[in-house]
Amino acid sequence: MTASAAQTSPRKRTGNGAARRIDADEIRLDALVGHAGYAVRRFQIWIFQDFIKTLGDVDIRPTQYSVLTVIGANPGLSQMAVAKRLGIERARLVHLLDSLEQRKLVKRIKSKTDRRSHALHLTAQGETALAKFKRLAVEHERHVEEKIGKANRERLLQILGGFT
Amino acid sequence: MTASAAQTSPRKRTGNGAARRIDADEIRLDALVGHAGYAVRRFQIWIFQDFIKTLGDVDIRPTQYSVLTVIGANPGLSQMAVAKRLGIERARLVHLLDSLEQRKLVKRIKSKTDRRSHALHLTAQGETALAKFKRLAVEHERHVEEKIGKANRERLLQILGGFT
DNA sequence: TGGCAATTGTTGTCGTCAACAACAATCTTC
DNA sequence: GAAGATTGTTGTTGACGACAACAATTGCCA
């Protein structure tokens, strides 16, 4: 495997095509190290994977969690309001709600004041389920702390607070 | 519990269906404000959109930029090595390289030492193009600074440095 | 008051992206 | 030399963002 790296062969023969074995941690990222977007992307992938795994038993993904949380904290919102608040396409929210409604976590109630819109509510089952989701989400947040440190997580939330 | 706290809505009592009009900045995010993942996701969306817009004239997306940068800094890498280093599926990298090769920015050279793999190189055209991309990327990074502040950007890079 | 523009939910398409699975060609290892 | 692993490729699935079009309904205003 990495044994060939031990020999004193030329560092890199890039003249034609061939090249020696290169360890993954030996590859230079060059300009990428100075780009916030790259670090943020990698971090977001990690954090979402941990969230999905931690909430794997209850089969809830980050976007679903955000929808349930906002509806739980603001009963009666319209789909448009939820979509706008969370930065989700209202077309996409339709499918998300279809799924959550099938699972009896959310119900769409026809609004009396505006017959175009639906008032979104958690079901009783949805309330208790969300409580469990939140406990698992807190556990996920602990994983984040373990990964980047408590102080760094706090600082991160503070820096990015304006994007909520 | 935190779940019952969500019910204490002072103004708007929406027992059944109807609801009054609600301003977007009046909707409570509840538990989401304490989740790093939510803030990071929103920030990542913003940062990618700015990157795509800033590099819009040259039609280069963040992932393409990262591939070009790594190849440029490490000529002769195999597709597997690039994929592993950037956290991209090797199946996905195939399409990315197809596109970049069609645009004459990258070339796949058959490796002499391992006839399964390709040695990846920038074309001469790719070299000069990447130089321009990097200038635009620096401009994008300035936008990030303007958005969150110079010191905060530095700290962000420092906090997330382990994910590169 | 009547008509027209705007809004809401819905359906559909398109493109990006992560996650898998399967495959042929080619090493590697025993 | 045979068995197993690796590399590039093709394909599928599903989550997701961005648009466009549509019917029903509301709001506006002339």
Side-chain angles (χ1 to χ4, degrees), chain B residues 3 5 18 58 63 70 80 125:
Chain B
V58 293
T63 310
V70 164
M80 195 61 209
Q125 183 179 338

Side-chain angles (χ1 to χ4, degrees), chain A residues 119-147:
Chain A
L120 301 175
H121 292 266
L122 296 184
T123 64
Q125 183 179 341
E127 301 267 10
T128 64
L130 179 55
K132 179 172 185 179
F133 301 160
K134 285 184 177 177
R135 285 195 298 272
L136 290 170
V138 168
E139 185 182 331
H140 154 71
E141 214 61 30
R142 275 199 297 270
H143 299 166
V144 177
E145 268 188 5
E146 293 168 9
K147 188 70 176 179

Side-chain angles (χ1 to χ4, degrees), chain B residues 33-50:
Chain B
V33 294
H35 286 301
Y38 179 72
V40 169
R41 167 178 165 264
R42 297 299 297 258
F43 180 55
Q44 207 237 297
I45 291 174
W46 181 90
I47 214 171
F48 265 48
Q49 281 175 342
D50 184 86

